[in-house]
Amino acid sequence: MDIDWVHYLKGMLKPIAALTVVLMAVALSYFQKLGLGKEMLYSITRAFLQLSVIGFVLQFIFNRKNGFWILGAYLFMISIAAYTAGKRAKHVPHGKYIAGASILTGTAVTMFLLVVLNVFPFTPRYIIPVAGMMVGSSMTVTGVTMRRLRDDVRMQISLVETALALGATPHQATMQQVKRALILALSPILDNAKTVGLISLPGAMTGLIMGGASPLEAIQLQIVVMNMQMGSTTVSSIMSTYLCWPSFFTKAYQLEAKVFNAE
């Protein structure tokens, strides 16, 4: 792994200088008695270490230019995202596995289409950052969808049970809850797409501009990013609702009591 250590260490001077604003936040927390100072320092230290490690890992993978390394990095991101989304929907049985399968499906289908349409070449430099953005968005949406669906069914359990008693299938009995969960989870993505560039410049676009690309080149990539995030999150979110049903109902099409009794 070829690394220009002198150039790297010089480049770290700016991130270190930027710690000044973190210390400002810590000081404000102290004077306002928020008690967040230690957590701020811990969070920023952890972020520094994580980003440093991933930087070296990506440098290694980019130099190898091997498809197996791309797949390994992608599956690693899926695993972390599945664990995180599953924790957010802790009352959903097998939530981590449901989240993992949903995120994998949404991002893999979207990535396949992007590569086939030649939007991105299948190289680590393009695929890994793009996959990371999609996995991150799908993780958030999937976690919200599963948690909201379970909580919504629990709050309206009498309506669902009445529908089941009248002969409705689990799909029919929970159709409104599924719809609300999907709308709630996907609304931030839609709102962000409506206001992108008007309120704030997105990360990918900002990074390109700061890296020397023209604003026109930056917006072209940002449009692609918005499109792929909307596609992957929608597929992942819908997939998670279908995978939740088996754990919500018994084989006799009755609500699983242990799922909805937990607070």
Side-chain angles (χ1 to χ4, degrees), residues 96-170:
K96 296 180 180 64
Y97 299 103
I98 292 174
S102 302
I103 296 169
L104 178 63
T105 302
T107 55
V109 169
T110 305
M111 185 66 69
F112 175 77
L113 291 174
L114 292 175
V115 173
V116 169
L117 294 173
N118 201 30
V119 177
F120 291 115
F122 190 74
T123 61
R125 186 171 297 276
Y126 286 92
I127 297 301
I128 292 178
V130 167
M133 287 186 281
M134 288 196 296
V135 169
S137 299
S138 297
M139 174 191 71
T140 302
V141 169
T142 301
V144 171
T145 301
M146 293 193 300
R147 184 179 69 241
R148 176 63 192 224
L149 177 57
R150 182 265 177 188
D151 292 347
D152 214 2
V153 172
R154 183 173 180 270
M155 287 189 295
Q156 298 184 329
I157 196 167
S158 59
L159 294 177
V160 176
E161 288 180 331
T162 299
L164 291 171
L166 293 174
T169 65

Side-chain angles (χ1 to χ4, degrees), residues 1 15 24 50 71 75-76 89 93 140 146 149 170 181 202 217 230:
M1 182 165 51
M24 176 187 68
Q50 289 175 178
L71 180 61
L75 293 178
F76 175 77
T140 302
M146 293 193 300
L149 177 57
E217 292 174 326
M230 189 172 296

